[in-house]
Every structure is written in C-alpha cells, then in structure tokens.
Amino acid sequence: MRTTTLGRSGLEVSRIAFGTGGFGGQWGGFDEDTAIAAIRRAHELGITLFDTARAYGTAEALLGKALRSELDHRRDSVVIATKGGTNPGSERIRDSRRAWLTQGVDESLRALGVDHLDLYQIHWPDPLTPAAEVAGTLREFVDAGKIRHAGVSNYDSAQLSAVNETALNKTVETVQVPYHLFRRGAETDPLPYAREHNLGVLAYSALGSGLLTGSLTAETAFDPSDWRSRSSAFRGDLLRHNLKIVDQLAAFAEDRGAAVSQLAIAWTLAKADVAIVGARRPASIEKSATDLQLTSADLAEIDRIVAQAVAVGGASPEGID
C-alpha cells in the first residue's frame, strides 16, 4: 500500500483510506460483525487512515471496537480522522459554534476510546458561525491535545480562505471533497486553492456512491433508508446512461488487468492525495486495495470515455445535492 504525506500536516498516511459513512444509516442496514471484519481486513492490507464522523451514528464506536488492539497498544499504527459540526434533526443542522464542536469532539473521543484524534474536520461549512470562531475552536482543540491536526470537509476556496486567513493563520491543514469520475466540480474549486496552499486533499465517494463498483445494474433496488433510493441519478434513464459509460470503463480497466473500481480509485489518486473508500465486507475492501497507476495516456482516454457522463451528486445534511 502506497503512502503519502497529507499536505502541510505532515501526517504519513496510506493513499487509500477506509471510510465508515456506509455505517451511518443513510445507506441501508449492515451486519456489524461483517463490518468489523472489513475494517480489520483493511488494516491488514496496509490501510492506515480511517475516516469517520459524529454524524455517522454508531460508526465511531464500531471503528473503535474493530481497531481496539491497535488503538490501545500500537496507537501510531493507525491515523483516525473524524468529523463534527453537524446536528441532524435539529433546527440548526450545520453547527460549528464552539459549544457544539466541543461537545462533539469529546463525544468522538469517548466513542472511539482514544485520548486524541489525529485529524478532526469540520464536516460541512456553517454560514452562521464566523470563520475566526471556527479557527479559534480548532486551535483550542490542538492546544489541549484533543486533536493533532485540523481540517475541513465540503468547503469551497472562499470558505477555506476565510478560515485560514484569520489571526490563527494555517489552522486548517486538510480539505475533504466529494470527487469521482461522475462528480468533478472539485477540479475547479477547491483543488487549485488546496494545491497552492499545500493542503492535504482527501477525496470521498471515490467509487461514485457505488456507481463505479461495477455491481449496480438498471434493476438495482435500494433500501428505502438508502439516500440513493431518492436520487434521480440512481434510477431510470440517468442511471442507464451512466451505466453504459461504466461498462466502457470496465472494458478499459480489463485491458489493464484491473476491475473498474480499481480504475476509478487510481484515477482519483492521480488527482488527490487520498481516496476514501467504503466497504461493508472484507472482499469489497480487498478489491479496492489497488496499486494500479495510470499513465497520462490512460487518463486522457478515461476523460474521453466519461465526457458524456451525467453528473452525480450525493447526500448532504439537508437532503440530496
């Protein structure tokens, strides 16, 4: 498993991260024992970065249970990244005020059973909380030893600039963005800003919310609790259109001895520092733990194949983008 330094944070991490969003209730049910086995298998394969969030229900506790031995005895063998600043079900769903973030970071520490978090990220930008307050709270967490590094998720360049150009300059060291072959807006914003300011870039939904796994068909039925059951991109003509493109990508991948999921991850890693990949079963993460590297000619051909793709959004605190 290849590793990288995550921007100016200095964190050395695996280029593939294990994401636990699939355990958060928005993707249908799952078997806990199988999920724990998948997490443990990921670590066996060399994945050292594990991404979770307060908003993912019991995912933090599940991750802590799966990695208990490492967290208790070999703490530096894993990098734990979590996210806070959302309050599902409340009147203020995005909440980055100091009191709520402080409650959240303490709850994350307890759920994971650790005394510090390697990376703590603001999950979604909160337009009602001043950037200086957000930066100040994150700095307090660092100074108190609760977190080692701070980042943000789903921020654009203007929001990144605002939080990093306060009196507490450069508090934020990483940015997490939705990024895959069917969702490329990050290439315009905020990736250029992140590169200019040496922010580590973590790309989530690297497999297009399942679209790039090669396992979906036009007849795939999603559990009612799965947000994809309410997304136009995962049904009807839009899904059929994009699946034809996935078939072309799969043929291109096969010529290189790879699965389409491996091609999608390799493409993401050509653009971002880390690709966050979810898995509910050990076999799924085994398939995703790829070392495939693409040439400039490969990337150009992939761009040609996906040129007519329909953009695919994702879930947000308020619903579906």
Side-chain angles (χ1 to χ4, degrees), residues 112-143:
L112 284 155
V114 296
D115 61 5
H116 72 272
L117 302 164
D118 299 293
L119 176 62
Y120 187 77
Q121 305 152 101
I122 304 298
H123 203 157
W124 291 87
D126 170 11
L128 300 179
T129 301
E133 180 178 341
V134 176
T137 302
L138 292 172
R139 176 52 55 187
E140 286 180 20
F141 294 166
V142 173
D143 291 343

Side-chain angles (χ1 to χ4, degrees), residues 193-217:
Y193 179 96
R195 292 308 183 206
E196 181 183 353
H197 294 83
N198 194 24
L199 301 181
V201 176
L202 303 94
Y204 73 83
S205 291
L207 293 177
S209 301
L211 186 60
L212 289 158
T213 61
S215 62
L216 297 189
T217 71

Side-chain angles (χ1 to χ4, degrees), residues 270-305:
K271 317 275 185 168
D273 298 313
V274 168
I276 300 175
V277 180
R280 297 187 180 191
R281 297 176 295 277
S284 297
I285 196 62
E286 288 170 357
K287 190 175 181 180
S288 297
T290 179
D291 198 36
L292 177 66
Q293 298 185 54
L294 302 173
T295 67
S296 57
D298 291 334
L299 294 171
E301 177 61 13
I302 291 169
D303 281 346
R304 186 196 66 78
I305 293 172

Side-chain angles (χ1 to χ4, degrees), residues 75 80 82 98-99 101-110 112 114-120 137-150:
R75 181 63 182 85
I80 302 297
T82 194
R98 181 180 180 276
L101 289 181
T102 300
Q103 179 180 330
V105 78
D106 289 341
E107 289 175 349
S108 291
L109 290 167
R110 286 193 294 270
L112 284 155
V114 296
D115 61 5
H116 72 272
L117 302 164
D118 299 293
L119 176 62
Y120 187 77
T137 302
L138 292 172
R139 176 52 55 187
E140 286 180 20
F141 294 166
V142 173
D143 291 343
K146 293 181 179 182
I147 70 174
R148 289 186 174 174
H149 302 279

Side-chain angles (χ1 to χ4, degrees), residues 46-90:
I47 291 175
T48 60
L49 176 57
F50 295 83
D51 182 78
T52 187
R54 271 280 80 202
Y56 298 163
T58 60
E60 287 178 324
L62 185 71
L63 185 60
K65 183 177 180 179
L67 296 177
R68 190 76 269 143
S69 180
E70 287 76 20
L71 293 172
D72 287 346
H73 306 294
R74 297 175 295 280
R75 181 63 182 85
D76 291 341
S77 70
V78 291
V79 176
I80 302 297
T82 194
K83 301 180 287 292
T86 61
N87 192 357
S90 72

Side-chain angles (χ1 to χ4, degrees), residues 154-229:
N154 297 296
Y155 272 50
D156 62 26
S157 57
Q159 293 159 338
L160 281 166
S161 178
V163 78
N164 260 347
E165 291 179 8
T166 66
L168 297 163
N169 191 30
K170 298 185 179 180
T171 296
V172 169
E173 298 173 318
T174 68
V175 60
Q176 189 171 141
V177 297
Y179 188 47
H180 54 77
L181 280 163
F182 291 89
R183 190 174 186 180
R184 299 180 61 169
E187 292 176 355
T188 302
D189 187 2
L191 290 188
Y193 179 96
R195 292 308 183 206
E196 181 183 353
H197 294 83
N198 194 24
L199 301 181
V201 176
L202 303 94
Y204 73 83
S205 291
L207 293 177
S209 301
L211 186 60
L212 289 158
T213 61
S215 62
L216 297 189
T217 71
E219 289 71 43
T220 296
F222 299 102
D223 187 283
S225 64
D226 189 321
W227 69 268
R228 293 173 295 182
S229 68

